[in-house]
């Protein structure tokens, strides 16, 4: 889990940020060394952050990570679900989910009152659910007022064989 997270983080930075934005002509050797360096940097940053996350108000590292993911996944899941279920949803609806997700969840995180023990009165998983529901509602409203004229269709790739073979069916 840790190795895959570090690999993903360094790959995202190296390929999606550095290569696309700063140096599109970067050699493979340069990208590999940058990825290794970023992995080391991420490990050092995590080691520096670990003692801070030991604070009881965060509820431990695992809960902190779960709570932080609430900034990301409600928008991503809402964008995918609505795009799959509502073929006339415009791109603006997806952008609204991806941009609005962190904003709405952040408002829940910072505006939810705390109980006497210092915990939010609305658990973060409920905040994630409410964020998801609000985003789906916003996406459906955008689709209601500005639907695509024609539903999006995935391209059909004729050069790919999609028929099942008898061997695959038997082995499956």
């Amino acid at each position: 889990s840790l190795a895959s997270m570090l690999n993903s983080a360094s790959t995202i930075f190296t390929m999606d940020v550095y290569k696309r934005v700063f140096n599109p002509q970067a050699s493979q050797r340069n990208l590999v060394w940058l990825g290794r360096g970023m992995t080391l940097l991420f490990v050092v940053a995590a080691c520096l952050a670990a003692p801070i996350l030991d604070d009881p108000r965060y509820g431990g590292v695992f809960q902190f990570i779960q709570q932080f993911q609430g900034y990301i996944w409600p928008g991503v899941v809402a964008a995918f679900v609505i795009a799959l279920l509502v073929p006339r949803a415009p791109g603006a609806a997806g952008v609204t989910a991806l941009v609005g997700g962190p904003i709405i969840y952040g408002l829940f995180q910072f505006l939810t009152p705390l109980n006497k023990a210092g915990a939010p009165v609305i658990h973060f998983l409920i905040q994630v659910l409410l964020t998801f529901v609000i985003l789906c509602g916003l996406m459906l409203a955008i689709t209601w007022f500005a639907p695509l004229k024609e539903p999006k269709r995935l391209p059909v790739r004729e050069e790919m064989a999609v028929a099942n073979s008898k061997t695959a069916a038997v082995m499956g």
Side-chain angles (χ1 to χ4, degrees), residues 63-130:
Q63 182 166 332
F64 177 80
I65 291 169
Q66 295 300 313
Q67 192 167 347
F68 186 77
Q69 288 178 353
Y71 284 99
I72 300 164
W73 81 258
V76 172
V77 173
F80 274 101
V81 166
I82 298 299
L84 287 171
L85 298 178
V86 184
R88 292 186 185 262
V95 171
T96 299
L98 295 175
V99 172
I103 294 169
I104 294 169
Y105 182 73
L107 289 172
F108 276 121
Q109 287 285 290
F110 292 107
L111 298 179
T112 299
L114 304 177
N115 63 20
K116 291 180 182 179
V121 294
I122 303 174
H123 192 271
F124 77 91
L125 291 175
I126 303 298
Q127 295 174 9
V128 166
L129 174 66
L130 293 172

Side-chain angles (χ1 to χ4, degrees), residues 125-149:
L125 291 175
I126 303 298
Q127 295 174 9
V128 166
L129 174 66
L130 293 172
T131 301
F132 173 75
V133 169
I134 291 168
L135 291 172
C136 287
L138 287 171
M139 291 181 70
L140 291 172
I142 291 169
T143 304
W144 178 267
F145 289 108
L148 293 175
K149 292 181 184 188

Side-chain angles (χ1 to χ4, degrees), residues 3 6 10 13 15 22 33 40 45 70 88 129 141 145 154-155 163:
L6 288 169
S10 67
F13 177 82
M15 301 305 289
F22 298 111
W33 279 104
L40 181 63
R88 292 186 185 262
L129 174 66
F145 289 108
L154 293 175

Side-chain angles (χ1 to χ4, degrees), residues 1-11 35 38-40 42-43 46:
S1 177
L2 179 60
S4 66
M5 189 181 331
L6 288 169
N7 185 42
S8 296
S10 67
T11 301
M38 293 309 299
T39 300
L40 181 63
F42 294 144
V43 167

Side-chain angles (χ1 to χ4, degrees), residues 3 25 28 38 41 64 82-83 94 151 167:
Q25 305 305 322
Q28 287 296 315
M38 293 309 299
L41 180 69
F64 177 80
I82 298 299
T167 304

